[in-house]
Amino acid sequence: MKKFIKGLAVIAAASLMAVMATACGGDTQKPGNSDSFNASNTANYNLVTGGKLIMGTNAEFPPFEYKEGGSVVGVDAGVMELVAKKLGLTLEIKDMTFDSLPEALAGKNIDVIAAGFTIKPEREEKMDFTDTYYTAKQTVILKSDSPYNSIEEMKDKNLKIGVQTGTTGMNDAAPVVTGEDNIVGYNNGSLAVEALLSGKVDAVIIDNNPAKEYKDQHGDDVKLLEDQFEEEEYAIAVRKGNKELQDAINKALKEIKEDGSFQKVVEQYVK
Ligand code: ARG
């Protein structure tokens, strides 16, 4: 009996401490996050604002991020919502131009970049990446009546290529096809596609999933050249040296991949 009462007291004390921890700490756990993430780590995440995970993105990149009724939705928004919950943080999304994301991260305006963001050596010098979560390929969008069927055929034709500024499409893929002076940067993919339709550029190069979305929007007016470039891997970027946050996101990604919730988000947005 005595042992039983002592046991109760221990349980009572433990639950009281748990309540206090929830009530007092701004950064502590919220209900709903997994037990394996604890409050003491949260303090080391080096966040812009305690308790919040601020995701920077460019919400002009369906199906990874786009605006729907005033909010940003898509694979990255859905995945980061799950990740934030695992970490006991509230997700906030900041929409900005794609090429301003690295500076926003370094200048501590955002905690992560989640933007269908490809890992590449130049970027790894300025920021750290989590484990990868999606494989993509640059894809060429042409008008349906274009004579070209491969990038080989497009080379040395002095073609103008529309791209989204600051992307791998602009810096890595387009230069394979045409000279630097012929690469025209736009603020987003749909502006580049409009330029294609109005004859201002001869082709657009953009990641495969957005390319398919534009093909869906414009139907028979455009065609795609797929499988022309190397695979790229998307990952979440954190500030250089923010290892605690990087580790925590990796752990969360692993858990949501294992429990199937990651795949559900992908299936919700990728057709
Ligand atoms: N994957 C490409 C890159 O990392 C394009 C990403 C564009 N993302 C966006 N949200 N607009 O450069």
Side-chain angles (χ1 to χ4, degrees):
M1 182 62 182
K2 216 172 172 189
K3 209 172 169 192
F4 175 69
I5 291 175
K6 198 175 160 203
L8 274 185
V10 170
I11 294 170
S15 19
L16 183 64
M17 273 160 65
V19 169
M20 281 166 57
T22 316
C24 306
D27 265 352
T28 48
Q29 291 195 344
K30 294 201 176 62
N33 61 332
S34 98
D35 294 342
S36 51
F37 293 87
N38 61 57
S40 56
N41 290 342
T42 314
N44 298 327
Y45 290 164
N46 189 17
L47 300 169
V48 176
T49 308
K52 266 201 239 174
L53 184 65
I54 306 181
M55 155 183 160
T57 198
N58 167 251
E60 311 268 6
F61 195 68
F64 286 88
E65 40 267 333
Y66 57 100
K67 280 169 245 146
E68 198 173 77
S71 43
V72 176
V73 296
V75 174
D76 290 323
V79 166
M80 290 314 290
E81 190 66 56
L82 294 174
V83 167
K85 200 172 170 197
K86 287 271 179 201
L87 272 56
L89 301 170
T90 307
L91 182 70
E92 182 182 313
I93 300 180
K94 278 194 189 168
D95 182 22
M96 58 190 79
T97 56
F98 182 75
D99 59 349
S100 66
L101 286 166
E103 224 172 274
L105 183 66
K108 219 179 170 184
N109 291 319
I110 55 174
D111 296 307
V112 293
I113 299 173
F117 200 49
T118 304
I119 304 184
K120 50 181 255 167
E122 296 91 319
R123 288 177 180 164
E124 281 178 310
E125 283 169 19
K126 297 186 196 115
M127 58 192 91
D128 289 330
F129 284 91
T130 65
D131 295 337
T132 64
Y133 64 94
Y134 202 88
T135 304
K137 252 184 208 179
Q138 296 302 309
T139 294
V140 183
I141 311 178
L142 296 165
K143 279 211 208 172
S144 306
D145 55 7
S146 156
Y148 305 113
N149 292 301
S150 73
I151 54 171
E152 278 315 308
E153 295 171 14
M154 293 170 68
K155 286 179 186 173
D156 306 319
K157 302 271 169 24
N158 218 22
L159 298 180
K160 276 206 165 14
I161 312 263
V163 291
Q164 181 177 23
T165 304
T167 60
T168 48
M170 167 166 161
N171 296 310
D172 303 310
V176 173
V177 182
T178 199
E180 209 156 287
D181 296 345
N182 279 327
I183 301 172
V184 191
Y186 294 89
N187 251 336
N188 59 62
S190 63
L191 290 175
V193 172
E194 275 171 36
L196 173 71
L197 293 171
S198 64
K200 290 196 188 79
V201 297
D202 302 297
V204 168
I205 298 183
I206 194 164
D207 304 46
N208 53 322
N209 287 107
K212 282 182 191 146
E213 296 268 342
Y214 295 128
K215 165 87 183 116
D216 281 352
Q217 279 171 29
H218 298 287
D220 292 342
D221 293 344
V222 299
K223 66 176 182 182
L224 304 183
L225 303 183
E226 298 181 83
D227 292 321
Q228 302 288 308
F229 294 97
E230 304 269 290
E231 285 185 344
E232 320 186 344
E233 297 291 341
Y234 294 169
I236 311 300
V238 300
R239 232 178 325 287
K240 193 119 198 94
N242 196 354
K243 184 155 174 18
E244 277 81 1
L245 184 59
Q246 182 189 26
D247 288 347
I249 295 175
N250 280 339
K251 192 156 178 273
L253 282 175
K254 190 166 179 280
E255 288 181 12
I256 64 173
K257 281 178 191 168
E258 279 168 6
D259 72 13
S261 53
F262 171 83
Q263 196 49 35
K264 270 207 187 121
V265 171
V266 172
E267 279 161 17
Q268 182 183 351
Y269 293 106
V270 178
K271 301 277 139 41

